[in-house]
Amino acid sequence: QVQLVQSGAEVKKPGASVKVSCKASGYAFTNYYLHWVRQAPGQGLEWMGVINPRGGSTRYADNFQGRVTMTTDRSTSTVSMELSSLRSDDTAVYYCARDRSPIVVYAIGPCDLWGPGTMVTVSS
Amino acid sequence: AIQLTQSPSSLSASVGDRVTITCRASQGISSALAWYQQKPGESPKLLIYDASSVESGVPSRFSGSGSGTDFTLTISSLQPEDFATYYCQLFNTYPLTFGGGSKVEIK
């Protein structure tokens, strides 16, 4: 069925990097942008950025510029998000989410299909 | 960046009540606004896009309105499964900002 499956929970030390993956199935992977959104415990949603799975072009939120890298692997229908120089306030659930509109529509957002989330804990 | 301000941040309501949540943009965004519902421990669920279009499968008691800077999500008759947190989100403009959320609790 149409779904996004994310990698498992991670525990990292401050200063380390984490890479979260998101595998798409049940739809044409290269036809829809994929976004990354995070949510700190008890807090709201924060948009991190978006990737075009076809060509790999990205757009990152200013808050994460220089620390985040989003990549695509068309052979496995998987996108990944790597966040470096982790701090305690990076502790959050990280979601991947599919754009509602096909890329050809030239719209960006909102998201109609979400992964289950990946908990990333940053602690010494 | 455009900011989205939701109000109220929380509210208490009873089953059957009409509930209205507001989202105000710091500058005009036409109709590029979406609403999500999130229950504890779950991923967000898209309810409304283009300010007033109801996503497929979403009950008809949910509706959205507004354009420019002021938007509203209305639940016409609150049901037990509607107790959740609701977020607005700007789209078609970077960054795709979310509002701070509005938690709907049982009265």
Side-chain angles (χ1 to χ4, degrees):
Chain A
Q1 72 269 32
V2 178
Q3 63 179 352
L4 299 171
V5 177
Q6 297 185 224
S7 51
E10 302 265 11
V11 179
K12 297 291 183 181
K13 294 193 182 301
S17 296
V18 68
K19 191 170 186 176
V20 179
S21 66
C22 170
K23 182 176 176 61
S25 62
Y27 73 94
F29 174 69
T30 56
N31 284 5
Y32 296 84
Y33 291 112
L34 280 161
H35 301 251
W36 288 90
V37 174
R38 77 175 186 180
Q39 186 170 39
Q43 302 302 308
L45 301 169
E46 182 177 21
W47 184 80
M48 299 180 68
V50 62
I51 184 167
N52 180 336
R54 181 175 300 170
S57 60
T58 55
R59 182 70 180 251
Y60 302 138
D62 287 349
N63 286 353
F64 301 97
Q65 200 71 244
R67 282 208 303 145
V68 70
T69 304
M70 296 177 188
T71 55
T72 181
D73 182 348
R74 293 193 304 273
S75 68
T76 60
S77 299
T78 299
V79 295
S80 299
M81 183 283 301
E82 183 169 21
L83 189 62
S84 63
S85 302
L86 289 170
R87 310 182 291 254
S88 58
D89 62 359
D90 290 317
T91 294
V93 175
Y94 290 76
Y95 295 100
C96 61
R98 187 189 73 174
D99 203 287
R100 184 182 184 279
S101 299
I103 290 173
V104 294
V105 174
Y106 295 110
I108 187 74
C111 298
D112 67 342
L113 177 69
W114 292 68
T118 296
M119 182 71 213
V120 174
T121 302
V122 182
S123 173
S124 55
Chain B
I2 298 173
Q3 307 298 319
L4 296 179
T5 303
Q6 284 186 238
S7 61
S9 56
S10 67
L11 66 95
S12 295
S14 300
V15 173
D17 284 353
R18 181 182 182 89
V19 169
T20 299
I21 297 168
T22 297
C23 179
R24 175 163 289 174
S26 59
Q27 62 189 77
I29 60 172
S30 185
S31 297
L33 192 93
W35 290 96
Y36 298 88
Q37 176 193 67
Q38 187 181 33
K39 297 179 181 179
E42 297 185 6
S43 305
K45 174 186 175 183
L46 179 65
L47 299 176
I48 305 285
Y49 62 96
D50 292 346
S52 61
S53 297
V54 181
E55 178 70 351
S56 176
V58 172
S60 58
R61 62 182 179 273
F62 290 93
S63 64
S65 64
S67 67
T69 59
D70 294 307
F71 301 87
T72 298
L73 172 70
T74 299
I75 308 172
S76 60
S77 178
L78 198 65
Q79 297 302 300
E81 60 268 30
D82 300 337
F83 291 95
T85 301
Y86 294 84
Y87 295 91
C88 57
Q89 185 195 24
L90 159 72
F91 62 93
N92 275 345
T93 300
Y94 292 115
L96 277 67
T97 307
F98 287 92
S102 296
K103 186 174 184 178
V104 177
E105 298 176 299
I106 301 173
K107 194 170 191 178

